[in-house]
Amino acid sequence: MSLFNVRSWWSTQCPDLGEQYDVASLLCARFGLETQEKDYIIVGSQTGQLSIYYPHMQPQSRGSGNVYQVTDLLLETQLHEPILGIYAGKFSGNVRNENVNQLGVLLPNAIAIYNLQVMSGLAEHGSQLRLQLQVEYKFERVAFSMCKGHFGQVKGREFFCVVHLDGTLTFYEQDGIAYECRFPGHRALPAPVAYCERTDSFFRFSATWHLECYSYQDLSHSLISKSSYQPAWSQCIGEGVIDMCVVQVKQDSSFILILGERNFISLDDNGKFHFMLKLDYAPKCFHSFVVGYYWEPGARLISALVSDAGKLYLYEEGNIIWAAQYQDYAPVAIKRSNLNSLPGGIVTLGPTGQLQVGYLGSDPFLFQVPPLNVEELSFAEAHKQLQQLEDEIKEAVDIQDMDAVNQQAADNVRLSFKIQLEVRDDLDTLLLDVPADVAVRELPSARGYLKVKVKTELTELQLVFNTPNGVRCSKDTLSFVDVPGGKTFELELDFYIAELLHVHTTQVDVVASYVSTRGIPRVIQQKAHLPLTMFYKTCQAQKAAGIKLTYAITTKHLVPKLITFFGEFLEPNSEVHALGLQLLCPGLEMVPETITVVAAKNSNRLRIQSDHIEAFPMILERIVQTTLQYDNEAGLIRMDKKKAKKGALNRNVERIIAAPFLPSQPILHRIDIHRETQENIRNQTEKLDALWQQFKTLQRKLQEQSESEPKETLVMQIEENYDHLILEGDKLVEIRKEERRERCDLNCAVSLAKWIIYALNLEERVVNVVLSVLSVPAEDWTELSWEESMAPGIDMLHHFGPLTRSKSTSSTYGLLEASTTTHDSFDYTRFRRHLATLFDRIVRLASMNEPKAVVAEPTAAPVPAEQSPLQQVDEISNLQRMMGEPATSSTSTSRASKSTVGTTLEAVEDDEDEYDEEDLREVGYRKHHGSVDQQENGLRSQWVNKDFDLPTNEELFSDLGIWW
């Protein structure tokens, strides 16, 4: 904190109140309009506002603080373009008076030279100024800044140089002579350019953070001679430049003053460092001037720097001599001016147009130390406050009782989310920006309603609707700020199909995240299901299909009829036993994708069959969710509130049970296609990177060529490379679109496996682990594909999970695999083999535990008349034999019924090839170790570790600490 403040002598507010001012928006100059003239203050904003002030003090206003009067404003006008900079100089040779200067206004595409004319006022009204346009130069490139001076050391007139955004310079001499100059080397960046009159040279800041010096003679002859030129000297600055100026302090040398991002640097005109001052603040602007005349021996170099905190620092060369504080704002521009009644005033311009003329007086910054609180400390009151703060902190971060936290969050923000079962056909596709290929199909949409009731005051509230791929919501995200307590929102939403993709679920989630007034964040979620009529239409039922699934409804609270599950497709009180449904969004082959659901007449079984795996997920989701929903409405305990006991079977089989069959080959086929597309994307990306590097190399060669060398061949190569780059980029876009479609197909395949495993007669922890590993929806990242992210979990199940037969594995092997998986080291063949083995083990284990009643019940699917009932019963076994699996027999069923409830794959007689010997050897396990008696008696597996000791299942899972 500075000890003194900058005292205000004159201040006003510029017309533009926005942040439209920078370091080039302020100018203090004289124009030779009267004999005893002082400095005018010119301000130009980036919105085109131009104002000219002439501050002066009346005798009667002395000692009254701010002396601004209305007559101080001489000109205020609005230009048609933003003002990039304002300059004063002798820009015209037609003016006879040597003391008269013109006003140069730099615009983005032109520079306008104006003459100022005085219009005398009447009575008490002061004089005014009028702008007279003398000449305007148009640019072919966008301008950045301007530099003026006596180029070529001419006398009596000044030239100016415009710096463009591409780094080129355009020189304008009087009488309309103009020429361009491009710097050699790498691409130039727009940066300030300064002119030194003593050496007739220009100083330019390059893209490599070097300060380079070029003589005016070399720059002016470069276009005529077509010759390459090099800088006279170059000095590394090492950081970005905020501003730069040249001041002549001595008769034989000039100083280049550079304000960097963290340093204040001074060099002489020969490139030697004068001083370098490291700043402990972030500077915003500076102004340097000489006290005295440069030919006098006592001339002093003074620099005024302004920090981003509003502090003014005065330096004499590299030594600080004064510091003061600006109270209201941090200036963006600073100048020194000689005004009426105030020589050497400090003129500053704020970011929003605060114009002030101040001086360095002895007005101290009075800081009064607040009185100490000498009240007696009450330990009881302090303990009470401390306890209250601890309770608030505990409420915000304590997650031990998540049920109570979630209940409190649901009470603060209550959500009611419903979706109507009736579909609509009057969707406004133009308003919702539905693609043309989807709009022409006139697909149905659904209407949803969300009611939000806020109980307590909230700082922020955000609502996000998560829809499956291909489905959109008319309002996907809503945000509210400063929500008062007791407010209610009622929203009407439209859900519609926006992409022709396969959908794996009908579930729509609404996620409400809010922040309370005490800064505690909470998230609540509710879900609803879209009607199946958005995605299916009725058709003729199929008698045969490639994939057939069977579900048995075991609950007593549900009648297994089609009208119970698919009421929107059937008439009330319908007794049909077969229903055919066809997807409204088929794949690219445009083949009708039909699925048939058959309900048995004399049993509680449902048969679902189709040739397309993408048609199953939403149908299975409806069957399973409807069955569980009826049990919940009947007053049973919710499934997710009960923790699974060790060795307990899947509780879902008490309501619905699936036949032990997984269509592994179609699922693996979808994964193969997705993996192949990922490899195509990576190869195409590498090809694009190579073409892009080649394109940049050709551009660099073209820029480094001199004007005399032929460029036709190089230009032709650049154009050919550019066309190839665009073509390959279009191919990448098409591959990514194909990847999105295949990812949706993969979601359907994985969802199908999850809904089957969800209702298999397995140990409950087995079901929970497998469902947690098989994640949907599938996500692909730049550095990790879905297969690579799934590989550690599948490998863990293969080696450590309850579905593995061998217990002799290291607990760190799977974790190492998860952390070291990369694109190069990932073995997709191994991942696919492990996933196929996992599906095979799940089917075998479920076949061993399948109840006899489920196996013996006849199927309700329509079959030919010549097929016997015995063949219908054994249809699943026939499918297993086709896949190379042993058929389920009554002997195995009875043997499974005598076993304990806790089931693992140790009870299944697997083949020898289930052991992955290569994987086990990698983690330090050897074959045929241990005593001969132990091997003969079967007390140890043939795979043991070096200590000949095998951990039990419980010891292994307690050491891993994963899943359950």
Side-chain angles (χ1 to χ4, degrees):
M1 181 177 294
S2 302
L3 181 61
F4 298 100
N5 295 328
V6 178
R7 302 198 64 179
S8 178
W9 177 77
W10 181 93
S11 63
T12 185
Q13 174 65 47
C14 294
D16 195 347
L17 301 180
E19 294 186 1
Q20 306 292 342
Y21 302 90
D22 57 10
V23 69
S25 300
L26 179 64
L27 174 66
C28 296
R30 300 180 184 181
F31 296 94
L33 303 179
E34 56 186 31
T35 55
Q36 296 180 352
E37 187 182 47
K38 298 298 182 180
D39 288 344
Y40 292 86
I41 301 176
I42 304 96
V43 179
S45 72
Q46 296 175 358
T47 58
Q49 287 280 350
L50 181 64
S51 305
I52 300 179
Y53 300 91
Y54 192 62
H56 61 282
M57 176 180 289
Q58 299 293 337
Q60 62 272 15
S61 62
R62 293 182 181 274
S64 60
N66 186 15
V67 298
Y68 173 77
Q69 297 180 3
V70 180
T71 56
D72 293 343
L73 179 61
L74 301 184
L75 176 66
E76 184 175 292
T77 184
Q78 173 71 45
L79 301 183
H80 58 280
E81 290 186 56
I83 299 177
L84 303 182
I86 44 180
Y87 307 89
K90 298 178 176 60
F91 300 134
S92 176
N94 299 327
V95 181
R96 298 179 180 179
N97 191 351
E98 297 180 355
N99 297 324
V100 174
N101 292 329
Q102 287 81 40
L103 177 65
V105 180
L106 181 63
L107 306 176
N109 297 308
I111 180 172
I113 308 299
Y114 294 97
N115 284 330
L116 296 182
Q117 296 180 352
V118 181
M119 300 173 59
S120 301
L122 301 176
E124 69 274 9
H125 300 288
S127 301
Q128 295 182 358
L129 295 180
R130 184 179 64 180
L131 293 179
Q132 181 183 7
L133 181 62
Q134 184 173 358
V135 65
E136 184 178 11
Y137 299 99
K138 298 289 185 179
F139 304 148
E140 296 181 357
R141 299 178 177 86
V142 180
F144 174 74
S145 64
M146 195 180 84
C147 172
K148 70 179 184 69
H150 300 278
F151 302 164
Q153 296 181 345
V154 297
K155 301 298 182 181
R157 54 180 179 173
E158 289 181 289
F159 304 149
F160 55 90
C161 166
V162 177
V163 184
H164 299 280
L165 284 180
D166 59 355
T168 61
L169 303 181
T170 303
F171 291 91
Y172 290 89
E173 298 182 357
Q174 295 177 4
D175 303 327
I177 301 176
Y179 52 90
E180 291 185 356
C181 171
R182 296 184 181 182
F183 291 104
H186 298 282
R187 184 181 298 275
L189 296 178
V193 173
Y195 172 72
C196 179
E197 184 178 355
R198 197 190 74 85
T199 59
D200 194 23
S201 57
F202 288 85
F203 303 104
R204 166 238 184 186
F205 191 71
S206 68
T208 57
W209 287 352
H210 281 72
L211 182 66
E212 299 176 346
C213 175
Y214 296 90
S215 65
Y216 176 69
Q217 184 176 5
D218 291 341
L219 296 179
S220 60
H221 290 79
S222 61
L223 188 64
I224 301 175
S225 61
K226 304 291 184 179
S227 60
S228 60
Y229 53 93
Q230 297 298 327
W233 53 263
S234 177
Q235 191 67 259
C236 179
I237 303 300
E239 63 177 349
V241 171
I242 299 176
D243 199 3
M244 177 172 57
C245 71
V246 177
V247 178
Q248 186 171 357
V249 182
K250 300 179 181 179
Q251 192 170 4
D252 57 348
S253 66
S254 298
F255 287 156
I256 310 158
L257 300 171
I258 303 172
L259 181 63
E261 296 174 351
R262 286 295 179 185
N263 297 278
F264 184 52
I265 306 170
S266 175
L267 298 89
D268 61 11
D269 49 18
N270 292 322
K272 297 181 181 179
F273 278 97
H274 181 212
F275 66 83
M276 181 174 181
L277 182 63
K278 184 174 181 60
L279 307 177
D280 56 355
Y281 53 86
K284 296 192 68 173
C285 57
F286 88 108
H287 177 70
S288 296
F289 56 93
V290 177
V291 177
Y293 298 97
Y294 66 87
W295 57 81
E296 296 178 353
R300 301 166 59 194
L301 175 63
I302 305 297
S303 300
L305 276 70
V306 178
S307 70
D308 59 349
K311 295 182 181 180
L312 174 65
Y313 299 93
L314 289 182
Y315 296 90
E316 183 174 358
E317 294 189 353
N319 302 318
I320 188 168
I321 58 176
W322 192 266
Q325 176 74 42
Y326 281 96
Q327 290 294 323
D328 300 329
Y329 62 92
V332 297
I334 182 172
K335 298 291 182 181
R336 177 177 177 266
S337 178
N338 291 322
L339 306 172
N340 286 311
S341 306
L342 185 65
I346 303 175
V347 183
T348 57
L349 179 64
T352 56
Q354 303 97 332
L355 183 62
Q356 177 182 343
V357 179
Y359 60 94
L360 301 177
S362 58
D363 183 14
F365 180 75
L366 299 179
F367 174 74
Q368 296 181 356
V369 180
L372 297 176
N373 187 6
V374 294
E375 296 180 1
E376 184 179 356
L377 179 63
S378 175
F379 289 97
E381 186 67 23
H383 180 72
K384 183 179 179 180
Q385 295 178 2
L386 179 62
Q387 188 67 30
Q388 183 179 0
L389 291 175
E390 289 179 350
D391 293 340
E392 293 181 2
I393 296 174
K394 184 178 180 181
E395 180 184 358
V397 301
D398 189 15
I399 57 174
Q400 294 181 358
D401 191 359
M402 288 303 301
D403 293 337
V405 172
N406 294 334
Q407 183 62 37
Q408 184 181 4
D411 292 339
N412 293 335
V413 178
R414 297 182 181 179
L415 300 179
S416 177
F417 183 39
K418 297 180 181 179
I419 298 179
Q420 291 181 347
L421 293 179
E422 297 80 11
V423 295
R424 301 160 53 91
D425 296 329
D426 56 348
L427 184 69
D428 191 348
T429 57
L430 295 178
L431 181 62
L432 297 175
D433 194 18
V434 180
D437 58 337
V438 182
V440 295
R441 290 177 174 265
E442 297 181 355
L443 299 175
S445 62
R447 176 65 57 85
Y449 298 94
L450 175 64
K451 184 178 181 180
V452 184
K453 186 176 181 180
V454 181
K455 183 179 179 181
T456 59
E457 184 180 357
L458 303 177
T459 303
E460 296 179 10
L461 173 63
Q462 186 180 52
L463 301 174
V464 179
F465 297 91
N466 295 328
T467 58
N469 293 332
V471 180
R472 290 182 190 173
C473 179
S474 57
K475 301 176 182 178
D476 53 354
T477 304
L478 297 172
S479 299
F480 306 92
V481 181
D482 298 332
V483 182
K487 190 170 184 180
T488 302
F489 303 95
E490 293 186 0
L491 304 175
E492 192 175 273
L493 310 166
D494 287 324
F495 297 94
Y496 57 95
I497 298 176
E499 296 180 78
L500 298 179
L501 302 173
H502 287 122
V503 181
H504 72 283
T505 181
T506 60
Q507 180 174 319
V508 176
D509 297 323
V510 53
V511 181
S513 56
Y514 65 87
V515 179
S516 64
T517 53
R518 291 186 294 179
I520 302 175
R522 289 290 182 263
V523 178
I524 57 178
Q525 180 178 352
Q526 275 201 7
K527 64 181 180 180
H529 290 272
L530 298 169
L532 288 180
T533 47
M534 279 186 61
F535 311 99
Y536 294 93
K537 66 178 181 180
T538 57
C539 65
Q540 183 68 30
Q542 290 180 328
K543 294 184 178 180
I547 304 174
K548 298 180 182 181
L549 305 178
T550 304
Y551 278 86
I553 309 300
T554 57
T555 180
K556 299 179 181 179
H557 302 91
L558 178 64
V559 180
K561 295 183 179 181
L562 295 182
I563 188 65
T564 306
F565 301 99
F566 309 102
E568 59 266 44
F569 296 104
L570 302 173
E571 297 293 334
N573 301 324
S574 177
E575 296 293 338
V576 298
H577 294 275
L579 175 65
L581 299 176
Q582 181 179 336
L583 280 175
L584 296 177
C585 297
L588 293 179
E589 295 80 6
M590 303 303 292
V591 178
E593 299 174 348
T594 305
I595 185 171
T596 303
V597 184
V598 182
K601 297 181 180 179
N602 301 321
S603 65
N604 58 348
R605 289 169 49 127
L606 294 175
R607 173 61 60 90
I608 306 99
Q609 59 185 17
S610 177
D611 293 325
H612 304 276
I613 199 172
E614 292 81 11
F616 280 98
M618 290 185 287
I619 301 299
L620 301 185
E621 180 186 28
R622 171 63 67 87
I623 294 174
V624 176
Q625 294 291 349
T626 303
T627 305
L628 299 180
Q629 181 182 358
Y630 269 83
D631 270 358
N632 294 335
E633 294 176 354
L636 299 181
I637 301 177
R638 290 181 59 86
M639 299 283 295
D640 53 358
K641 296 295 183 182
K642 297 171 61 179
K643 295 184 178 179
K645 295 182 180 180
K646 183 184 300 184
L649 288 177
N650 183 13
R651 286 169 290 181
N652 296 326
V653 300
E654 300 174 4
R655 297 155 180 83
I656 183 172
I657 184 170
F661 168 69
L662 281 172
S664 58
Q665 293 303 322
I667 295 175
L668 295 175
H669 178 64
R670 299 300 187 277
I671 299 176
D672 293 339
I673 296 177
H674 180 263
R675 177 64 182 177
E676 182 180 355
T677 307
Q678 288 292 318
E679 292 295 333
N680 293 338
I681 289 178
R682 288 173 186 167
N683 296 335
Q684 190 69 17
T685 304
E686 294 176 357
K687 191 174 182 179
L688 277 176
D689 291 340
L691 289 174
W692 176 242
Q693 293 297 332
Q694 183 181 358
F695 184 73
K696 292 194 296 184
T697 303
L698 294 174
Q699 276 190 323
R700 193 176 297 111
K701 288 182 179 179
L702 180 63
Q703 188 177 6
E704 292 176 354
Q705 272 191 349
S706 61
E707 296 291 340
S708 58
E709 298 179 4
K711 300 181 180 180
E712 289 77 8
T713 304
L714 198 55
V715 171
M716 187 180 301
Q717 292 177 358
I718 291 177
E719 292 177 353
E720 182 181 359
N721 182 269
Y722 179 77
D723 295 339
H724 194 190
L725 192 65
I726 295 299
L727 181 61
E728 297 299 329
D730 294 339
K731 290 182 180 179
L732 180 61
V733 172
E734 293 299 326
I735 296 177
R736 289 195 179 277
K737 290 180 180 179
E738 182 181 356
E739 178 212 15
R740 180 170 174 81
R741 291 190 292 267
E742 293 172 355
R743 193 187 307 130
C744 293
D745 296 346
L746 178 61
N747 288 334
C748 295
V750 179
S751 297
L752 170 61
K754 293 187 67 172
W755 286 119
I756 296 176
I757 298 172
Y758 187 79
L760 287 179
N761 191 22
L762 296 172
E763 189 177 344
E764 185 159 357
R765 63 173 185 172
V766 174
V767 174
N768 294 337
V769 170
V770 175
L771 293 182
S772 64
V773 171
L774 298 177
S775 61
V776 286
E779 295 290 343
D780 294 301
W781 295 272
T782 305
E783 300 296 333
L784 198 68
S785 66
W786 178 83
E787 291 82 4
E788 294 168 351
S789 62
M790 287 281 293
I794 299 298
D795 189 68
M796 187 75 73
L797 287 177
H798 186 78
H799 290 290
F800 305 115
L803 293 174
T804 182
R805 180 177 179 180
S806 175
K807 304 176 184 177
S808 307
T809 50
S810 172
S811 61
T812 60
Y813 175 66
L815 301 179
L816 291 175
E817 285 291 324
S819 61
T820 57
T821 299
T822 60
H823 293 321
D824 299 331
S825 63
F826 177 66
D827 188 357
Y828 175 70
T829 305
R830 175 182 174 181
F831 165 76
R832 191 182 190 280
R833 183 176 69 249
H834 286 181
L835 188 59
T837 305
L838 175 65
F839 289 157
D840 183 44
R841 291 175 180 175
I842 290 174
V843 171
R844 294 187 183 185
L845 184 56
S847 302
M848 297 297 298
N849 299 331
E850 187 176 9
K852 184 183 297 184
V854 176
V855 178
E857 289 179 357
T859 180
V863 294
E866 63 272 13
Q867 187 172 354
S868 63
L870 182 61
Q871 293 175 342
Q872 300 178 31
V873 174
D874 202 39
E875 183 176 359
I876 298 177
S877 300
N878 293 335
L879 291 174
Q880 293 173 350
R881 292 190 186 99
M882 292 174 61
M883 297 179 60
E885 302 174 1
T888 305
S889 62
S890 60
T891 305
S892 61
T893 305
S894 60
R895 182 169 64 249
S897 62
K898 294 180 182 179
S899 61
T900 58
V901 179
T903 56
T904 55
L905 205 60
E906 286 89 351
V908 182
E909 296 295 334
D910 288 335
D911 299 331
E912 290 297 328
D913 56 2
E914 279 200 14
Y915 290 105
D916 198 337
E917 299 184 5
E918 179 182 354
D919 296 339
L920 294 177
R921 286 195 184 96
E922 290 179 359
V923 293
Y925 286 81
R926 301 179 181 179
K927 197 172 184 180
H928 301 306
H929 281 264
S931 62
V932 179
D933 297 337
Q934 290 177 346
Q935 296 179 12
E936 294 177 355
N937 297 333
L939 299 179
R940 290 291 185 269
S941 171
Q942 58 181 348
W943 289 97
V944 295
N945 60 8
K946 61 182 180 180
D947 297 327
F948 311 109
D949 192 13
L950 293 174
T952 63
N953 240 4
E954 281 68 20
E955 290 175 347
L956 179 60
F957 292 123
S958 63
D959 292 339
L960 289 176
I962 54 176
W963 298 321
W964 50 79

